[in-house]
Each structure stands twice: as C-alpha cells, then as structure tokens.
C-alpha cells in the first residue's frame, strides 16, 4: 500500500500562547540593561531581546505575507511533492527585512557604552563624549549592514528576474564591495598569521596586500553560493544557516568575559597551548584582550538575530514546506557569515563550520567544471508511488573523456555516486548527480524527504562538532595561541 | 483633422559616437587626481567622472534591461496614450542600482585626502595614519547610502507588491532609520538657529532634542512622497529630480574654495549680510570654514551622480516614454535629497527647491484629507480625438460639506480648480482634481502632454531661481550670515 500523501500545505498553525509568552521575555532582555545595576555586556542582553523579537516577527509575518507573495507571482511548485499547490517563494525576503531592521534599530544599543557611560565611572558628565565614540566600529557595523542589504536586494532581484547562472556568480562580489571599500578606506589589516611549520620561510606574519581583498571577496562568494547549491529539499537552506549561525555564536560566547570560573578538559582534545594557561577561564578565551571581546560581541550581534529569523522561518519551511526561501535567504545569510568572518577576523574558523558545504562544493566540481553534464536541477528524484527519494541521474549524451571516467570511477569507489555502465563496453552511460544529497541517498538507500532533511541536519551538526575539535584541539599544533 | 498619433515606443536610439566620446572625458576626470600636481579637491573631479559614467551606464542599461522588466511582469500601459504597448515599469531600479554602486565605489575617493596624503605635506610617511582618518564622516556617508538603499528596496517592493496607500506612508520613515540611528549614535547636533525677529524670546539657538529626529524623519517622508504625488506624465518625476539635484549642486558649488576671484552683485537681491564681506569670494561662501566646505562637498558627491542617472533615464522617459520610473525612482531620489539636506545641514534651503512640490501638496490637501473624494488616479484626462490633455474631474457622490464648499470656491476663485455646479441649487457636483498638473490645465487651457511636461519643467526651474533669490537675498534679513 502506498503511504498517505503529505498533507495539503495550509499555513502551519501558530500557538498564540507560546508567541505571547515569548514577548515578555524579549521585553525583559531589552529593558534589563536600562535598570540599575547595569549588567555586564548590556548590549548582549538587548541583542538577545531583539533576536527573540525577530523570531516572533518572522514566525508571524511569513504566513501572513504568503498570499501577498503568491499574488505578486512569487510562488513555486514543490518539486518533490505529488501536489501542485503553489507555495509562496522568496520569503527569505521577509527574514532579511526583519533581520536588517533589527540590526539597524540595534545601532544605539551596540554603542550604548559610549553613549550612556555608567554614572559611577567617575568621568566628568559633560554630556558630549564625541571624542571617545568608537567611530571606527560604527563604520564597520554600517558597512556590514550595507553589504547584507545589498546581498538581500540582489538575491531578491535574482528571484524576480531569474538571473542566469553566469551573471549570478559576481553578485556576492558586488554585495561585498561596501565591506571591502570600508576595509580599504580604514586601511584595515591585510596580514595573516603563518602556520608554524612554514614560519622559518615566511616569518610569523605575512602581508597579503591586495590579495587579502581578493580573499575576502572570494570568501563572501563562497559562503553565499555554497548555501545556494546545497538546496532543493524543504528546510535544508534555512537549517544550514541556522546551524552555522548557532555554531558561530557558540564560538563567540567562548571569548566573552564571564563572571564565572569553569574548567574545560581541553587537553583531551590534544591541545597543548591551552594547558599552559591553567584552564581557568575567568575572562573567556580572550584572556583579557578587549579587542577580541569586541570582535566576538560584534559577531554575536549579527548571529543572534540570524538564529532568530532562521528559526522562525524554519517553522514554516520545514517539511512539508509552507514557504520557500528563494535565493534571497541564501544570499543574505551567506553574506552575513562572510561579514562576521571578515570583520571578526576568524574566517578560518568560519570555514570549518562550512565543512559540509565545502564537501558538497568539491563533490560538485566535476559537474560545475564540465567533466559531467550539469542539468538545471540536481535535486533527488521522487518516486510518487512509494513517496521515497532516489538519487537523480544525469545521462551522458557523449562518451565521457578518460579524465571524467577516472574521476567518476573513483567517486563511485568512495560510494559517492552510482554509475550505470554499458553492459558490453563498460562505458559510463549515466551517473547520479554529484551533490551531498544524492551521495547520502546512494550510501544510505532511498528514504523519505523528511528523513533526508534530518540526515543533512545531523551531518551539519556533526560537522560543527568536528570543527570545534579541530579549532580548539588540533589547531594548537599548527598555530600558537588564539590568533583568529 | 486629428493630429497623427504619437510614434510607437521603440527604444529611443542611442548615438554610439556620443556615448563613446563621453567615455574618455569621464576617464580624464577620474584619472586626473592621480597625476601630479594633484588638483585642489581631487575627490570632486573623481565624482564628476563617476557621474558621467553613471550617466552612460543608465542611458545604456535602461533600454537594454527593458525586455527583462517586461518579462518579469514589471510593465504598464501609458494612461495618456492611445496605444496599448506595454512599457517597462519600475526602471528607476536601474537608476538606483547604478547610483548606489557609484556611491559605494566612490568611498575610497571621498576619503582620498586621508588615505593618500600629499607627499609634500611634510608629514612622516609611516604608512599608517588611521588616527587621522575621518571615521565620523565615513559613518555619515555609509548611513546615507544605507538609507538610500533601503528607500530603493522599499520602493521596489512597493512596485512588486503594490502596497496600499496607508501602508506606504511610513516607508520613508523606515528608510530614514539608519540615518537617524547614526545621527543619534554620533550624538549629532539637534539645535537650530532661531530667526532674528523671535530671538529676544528664544535666544540664538534652540535645542529641539527628540523633536529634531521627528523633523528629520518628516523631511524624508516629505521629499519622498512629494515627488511621488507629482507624477503621471512622461518624464515628470525624473525631471523634477534632475532639476532639484542640479539646484542643490549649484548651491553646493557656491561654498567651495575656488582659486579664482569673482564678484556677484548680491546687494541687488536685497542682501545685507554679504555686502559686509566685500563681495570677493576667494574661498566661496564658506569663508574659510572647513566644516562648511566638507558638508557641501559631501552633498555634491551625492548630487552629481544623481544628475547623471536622472539625465540618462530622462532620455528614455521623455515624451513619448519608453520607460517608466515606478515608485523606485521617487523613493530613492527623495531619500537622497533628504540625506543631503540633513547631513549637510541645509534642510531649509532644500525645502525652498521643493516649492512646486510643496504647492502641489498643499493644493492636494483637501483631497488627501477627505474634504473632496480622492480617486486612485488624478492625472489629467486625454481626449484621444484631439490628443490634448484636459483637467480630470472627480464627481461628488454626496453633497459636499460647508467647509469643502468654502475651500473649493476659494480655490476656484484663485483659478486652481474648475467647479461644475448644479444648474438650480448651485451645489458643487464635481471639481477638477487638485494637483498642480490639473491647475495648470485649468489656467492655461488644454494642451498636449509634451507641452504640459515642458510647462512643469519651467515651473520647477522658475521655483529654483526664486529659491536662490530668497536664500541669498531675503534670508539675510531673517537670519544673519550663512547658517544653514
């Protein structure tokens, strides 16, 4: 007997009691810093409050604006379903709008220390402290928002105008221009730390100069497009963004000055550098460096609302999806990750959290670079009778080259693709598409869409755990201390 | 015999020779500041070069992207034409994109003085002059771009989603948030100069405090919506923006430190304050004030590319239009004007350049505030036989109130509307719609669309001339010196 078809995508119901109970919590986080005694890191509390509000706004607005999107012809059919109901598309725009508005309204709070210095600080209260204002950080903050807003805009234009693939590629570069321009105008640091084994050749620091700008724009291109190409299942884009945002936020929290003391058994992970510090983290991993604390606070201010909007959106985007993210979501989240990686100077750590995306990109390379035909859609194929997903195949119209044959046979040996060989000549006639989704189906067998999404989520979470192990365990062997 | 119908709107031809001859001029303006000896105000030369490039990009891209807009369902019928050919709509988006990209790429040039200090300045060249970098101005510049980008985005969303009138009104307020937030975070000046006659009560300066923020957000609401409601004819939105941009730019030029000496017979305009300075303007009207020069340079950096994109767009938007601006153009140009008025601290001078828009708004008030029915479109009516425009009428479904009757009879006496009275009771049955366009048709009689556009352009130019007379003539009696 065939399993029952998935339910018709009416908007997912919202529990008013739940939503209304989050509201006072958000209000407390926002109001608490205004009460005396002012807690340490008041901006962080406000940011948590704003993120809760962003969560509420997204979870409420996505279904509320659905019909408006459908009416404006921003709608799509779910390719992996048996029904044809139009689903609102590009609703990542709602997330992006809430996110950016949140970041902008947060500006005075991010700089509350400078604006409202504590009364007991013993400074003369003459009302004007413009000279002490961190203008440099404000420019950084503004250029970040500007880049994210440009990415949103360009993502939405992509959704409306359906821009061709080769015109799409430079979009993140264009969106990263404000970031790079301000970095340049501020004469930002373009040096990177050299790994220990090659220091005897290159020295401790190497100045990349203009190459650093290339590196930054490539980073944004990568973070943006890598989320965009690992797509096609309900909830897969938003959950990637959510997990990466949580991982970055957790990493940031490690650097905050906590009032409590605690030990982590870091030596178990093979780290040497940490042990020397005795393991007492009374000031987080920043070890009293104001600059490190500020960088990671900056990153938290961007990541917490991201967690809020992604969680709110995922509620409606989860299988069976009632809302699609469109390119807009991939672009604005990808750009936000690039922004914190660049401005917070932890792009290498960030890249570790993108491990599944990097794997997916490397796996896709033979198709992206012409060793194998590349169809428009590479999502798995739905068998409507069993409601199971199977890996999708792409046939070779011409016999593959020797290089292609070699690469594909290697991937097949690794269990990442399935080849259909000519019964007589043994020539490759077709192969499953080279994406992590199809590879998972090849390895684990056909499964239902919701199960595959859970597997992808598990892979991403596992990736983040491994990333933390590498960053705080193995990296100590290659880099000393906590540079980036 | 009826006049020949207007030509079918094929894209307006572009003269390649003309375009290619502008290119080297633009290149010269951009490259000149890199050559020694560095001219005074190198950023201004570069800005002129960028604006020429913006002009070229707009004039080229608008027709090139027309079919893409039509395909994405961004198209409209020209209401005042006899043909039904769909015209690309919302192409203000092209202008806005070129404009914003231009502003962003300009960032390093705007701060070139700080980045590349002249070699003969005698300062130690240690390569790092971060301490001297004008971070404050960079934040100002970035928040301005952010507000303009938000206005563009919201304008485009309005075009795509066709937002309702009452939801539209707060759009400019939302878009002005970055500006206000940064103004607040920077603890910007919230005082205004008090006019002389009331100084004995209020003092020389009055601190408006939070009211100043209200004033700024209302200013952006006004500049944005006032261009949006004076619309409906081919080229009328873009030419308003062009003329205002040129006027603001001319006003800015007055404050630049020119190397040449010249006299202006200002006393003829009734000014007293200027005469005391002897009329020699060797340093412009800034009289050596670095701050004033910087403010007006800032304004020029925003106005010159605006002139470029509006001129480029107007070529295709002029009667008979091959491209429509959409709300996007009105929003981004309006926000740009508000930005320079606020950041440059000359909002009162700016308001003078909006005299026709203010007149149009005041005239529209009875319709906006319910004293007279307000139909969706208030554009003049085309008589297809004669191809002449007549004032459009709105009938009163119910007898008008006494207040409405009084107001309308007053306006009719002033020749600003035409009333149709009931032959027996003398009650107002219908009135021409209360816009400057209909008022011009009431006063000057029916005319062809292209003639009416020219009349509107003439009114706007005349308004700017009067504005200069008031600003530099009469204002001297109410304010002393050149405050704002």
């Amino acid at each position: 007997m065939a399993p029952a078809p998935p339910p018709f995508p009416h908007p997912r119901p919202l529990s008013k009691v739940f939503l209304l109970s989050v509201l006072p919590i958000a209000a407390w986080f926002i109001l608490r810093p205004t009460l005396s005694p002012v807690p340490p890191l008041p901006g962080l509390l406000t940011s948590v409050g704003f993120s809760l509000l962003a969560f509420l706004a997204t979870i409420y607005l996505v279904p509320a604006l659905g019909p408006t999107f459908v009416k404006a012809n921003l709608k799509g059919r779910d390719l992996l379903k048996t029904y044809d109901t139009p689903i609102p598309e590009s609703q990542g725009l709602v997330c992006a709008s809430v996110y950016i508005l949140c970041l902008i309204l947060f500006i005075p709070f991010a700089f509350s220390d400078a604006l409202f210095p504590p009364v007991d600080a013993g400074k003369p209260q003459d009302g004007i402290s413009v000279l002490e204002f961190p203008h440099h950080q404000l420019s950084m903050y503004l250029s970040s928002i500007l880049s994210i807003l440009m990415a949103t805009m360009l993502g939405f234009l992509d959704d409306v105008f359906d821009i061709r693939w080769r015109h799409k590629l430079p979009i993140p570069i264009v969106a990263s221009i404000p970031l790079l321009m301000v970095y340049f105008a501020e004469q930002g640091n373009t040096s990177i730390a050299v790994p220990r084994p090659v220091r005897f050749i290159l020295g401790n620091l190497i100045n990349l100069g203009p190459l650093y700008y290339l590196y930054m724009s490539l980073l944004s291109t990568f973070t943006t497009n890598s989320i965009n190409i690992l797509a096609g299942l309900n909830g897969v884009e938003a959950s990637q963004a959510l997990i990466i945002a949580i991982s970055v936020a957790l990493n940031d929290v490690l650097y905050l000055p906590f009032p409590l003391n605690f030990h982590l058994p870091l030596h178990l992970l093979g780290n040497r550098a940490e042990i020397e510090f005795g393991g007492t983290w009374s000031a987080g991993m920043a070890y009293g460096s104001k600059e490190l604390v500020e960088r990671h606070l900056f990153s938290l201010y961007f990541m917490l609302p991201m967690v809020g909007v992604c969680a709110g959106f995922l509620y409606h985007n989860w299988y069976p999806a009632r809302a699609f993210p469109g390119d807009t979501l991939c672009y604005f989240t990808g750009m936000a990750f690039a922004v914190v990686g660049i401005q917070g100077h932890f792009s290498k750590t960030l890249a570790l959290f993108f491990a599944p995306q990097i794997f997916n990109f490397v796996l896709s390379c033979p198709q992206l670079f012409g060793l194998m035909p590349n169809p428009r859609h590479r999502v798995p194929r739905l068998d409507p009778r069993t409601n199971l997903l199977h890996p999708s195949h792409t046939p070779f119209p011409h016999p593959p080259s020797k290089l292609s044959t070699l690469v594909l046979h290697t991937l097949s040996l690794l269990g990442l693709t399935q080849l259909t060989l000519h019964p007589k000549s043994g020539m490759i006639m077709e192969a499953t598409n080279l994406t992590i989704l199809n590879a998972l189906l090849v390895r684990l067998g056909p499964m239902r869409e919701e199960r595959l999404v859970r597997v992808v989520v598990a892979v991403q979470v596992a990736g983040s755990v491994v990333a933390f192990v590498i960053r705080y365990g193995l990296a100590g062997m290659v880099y000393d201390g906590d540079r980036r």
Side-chain angles (χ1 to χ4, degrees), chain A:
Chain A
M1 195 191 92
F8 178 82
H10 281 300
R12 197 155 281 164
L14 290 175
S15 156
K16 273 195 186 145
V17 176
F18 171 70
L19 296 186
L20 288 177
S21 62
V22 174
L23 210 53
I25 304 176
W28 184 84
F29 274 106
I30 294 174
L31 293 177
R32 175 66 191 83
T34 65
L35 305 176
S36 192
V38 177
L41 305 180
L44 187 59
L45 286 191
T46 315
S47 179
V48 172
F50 269 69
S51 307
L52 288 172
L53 288 186
F55 167 77
L56 287 182
T58 313
I59 207 170
Y60 173 78
L61 283 176
V62 164
L65 293 175
T68 316
F69 277 70
V70 172
K71 212 176 120 197
N73 211 27
L74 291 165
K75 61 187 175 187
R77 194 189 157 259
D78 196 330
L79 292 175
L80 298 180
K81 299 292 184 298
T82 47
Y83 50 81
D84 280 339
T85 332
I87 313 273
E89 176 65 274
S90 313
Q91 286 214 295
L93 180 66
V94 179
C95 306
S97 306
V98 170
Y99 180 68
I100 290 166
L101 201 59
C102 195
L103 288 180
I104 287 174
L105 291 175
F106 187 68
I107 295 175
F109 299 96
F111 301 98
S112 57
D113 283 352
L115 286 176
F116 314 106
V119 184
D120 52 356
K123 274 186 281 181
Q125 291 288 315
D126 56 2
I128 298 173
S129 57
V130 176
L131 285 176
E132 290 186 25
F133 189 81
H135 292 290
H136 166 71
Q137 269 133 307
L138 181 58
S139 307
M140 213 168 89
Y141 192 89
L142 290 173
S143 68
S144 306
I145 301 179
L146 202 48
S147 274
I148 296 172
L149 183 54
M150 281 190 79
T152 305
M153 178 100 194
L154 292 166
F156 186 62
L157 291 186
D158 186 4
D159 282 334
V160 170
F161 292 112
D162 209 1
I163 302 171
R164 259 170 288 173
W165 193 78
R166 65 170 190 277
H167 293 159
K168 256 186 207 189
L169 216 61
I171 284 182
I173 299 179
V174 172
S176 67
I177 291 176
L179 213 59
L180 303 187
M181 285 291 157
V182 172
Y183 205 87
F184 178 70
E186 301 255 357
Q187 300 188 322
N189 176 20
T190 54
S191 305
I192 55 163
V194 175
R196 265 193 218 171
V198 287
R199 274 194 196 163
F200 69 96
I201 311 173
L202 298 170
N204 284 356
L205 279 176
I206 183 168
N207 190 354
L208 290 183
L211 283 182
Y212 196 79
Y213 291 88
L214 186 69
Y215 167 69
M216 289 193 284
S217 65
L218 288 183
L219 181 72
S220 60
T221 310
F222 170 73
T223 52
T224 303
N225 283 310
S226 65
I227 296 184
N228 213 4
I229 64 170
L230 210 175
L233 299 190
N234 288 173
V236 80
E237 301 94 339
S239 51
Q240 286 172 75
L242 179 65
I243 296 165
I244 298 174
I246 293 175
S247 309
V248 174
L250 282 179
N251 181 55
D252 291 330
V253 167
L254 293 181
Y255 291 85
L256 297 186
F258 279 114
L260 34 122
N261 286 14
F262 56 93
H263 290 256
L264 270 200
L266 262 198
H267 53 281
L268 296 183
L269 304 178
N271 195 334
R272 286 177 205 151
E274 309 301 343
I275 302 173
E276 294 163 20
F277 285 89
T280 308
W281 287 13
S282 59
M285 293 191 54
Y287 302 111
S289 154
K290 186 161 177 276
E291 197 183 352
L292 268 181
V293 172
E294 276 175 355
R295 279 181 190 172
H296 287 280
L297 261 184
F298 174 89
S299 169
L300 273 175
Y301 294 161
F302 281 79
M303 287 298 110
L304 293 178
M306 174 74 85
V307 171
V309 295
C310 286
F313 182 68
L314 204 51
Y315 181 75
H316 302 286
N317 184 224
W318 193 255
Y319 178 92
R322 271 78 164 174
F324 287 153
D327 291 331
T328 317
L329 186 97
C330 306
Y331 278 82
F332 100 82
T333 55
M335 185 50 76
F337 294 132
V339 157
V340 297
I342 292 171
Q343 307 272 41
H345 294 271
F346 55 86
S347 52
K348 279 182 298 213
T349 310
L350 180 72
L352 288 175
F353 295 131
F354 274 82
Q357 283 70 30
I358 294 175
F359 178 79
N360 187 56
F361 174 73
V362 172
L363 183 60
S364 298
C365 278
Q367 278 192 298
L368 296 180
F369 296 111
L371 286 182
M372 179 180 160
N374 193 6
R376 191 171 155 74
H377 289 290
R378 305 191 298 161
V379 285
R381 178 179 60 80
L382 174 74
D383 183 343
R385 284 180 308 113
T386 59
N387 217 9
L388 293 177
L389 296 186
H390 295 260
S392 59
H393 292 78
T394 294
F396 284 79
H398 312 291
S401 70
K402 274 188 185 165
L403 179 63
S404 304
T405 311
L406 180 69
V407 168
L408 286 170
H409 274 294
T410 313
L411 291 176
S412 165
L413 269 177
L414 294 170
L416 298 172
T417 186
Q418 224 165 27
L419 304 178
T420 312
L421 303 179
H422 194 277
K424 284 178 188 162
S425 65
M427 211 176 65
I428 301 174
M429 289 170 64
E430 56 176 35
T432 61
N433 285 310
L434 300 174
T435 69
I436 199 170
L437 299 179
N438 287 309
L440 286 170
L441 288 173
V442 166
R443 290 219 80 132
L444 307 175
M447 60 180 99
R448 292 172 62 124
E449 184 181 357
E450 59 191 309
R451 191 145 168 253
L452 185 54
V453 178
R454 279 167 213 271
V455 172
V456 174
V457 168
V459 167
Q460 188 81 44
V461 172
S464 284
V465 172
V466 173
F468 274 106
V469 172
I470 294 178
R471 173 65 185 82
Y472 295 103
L474 305 182
M477 300 175 197
V478 190
Y479 291 96
D480 45 3
D482 287 281
R483 309 194 57 104
R484 296 169 200 204

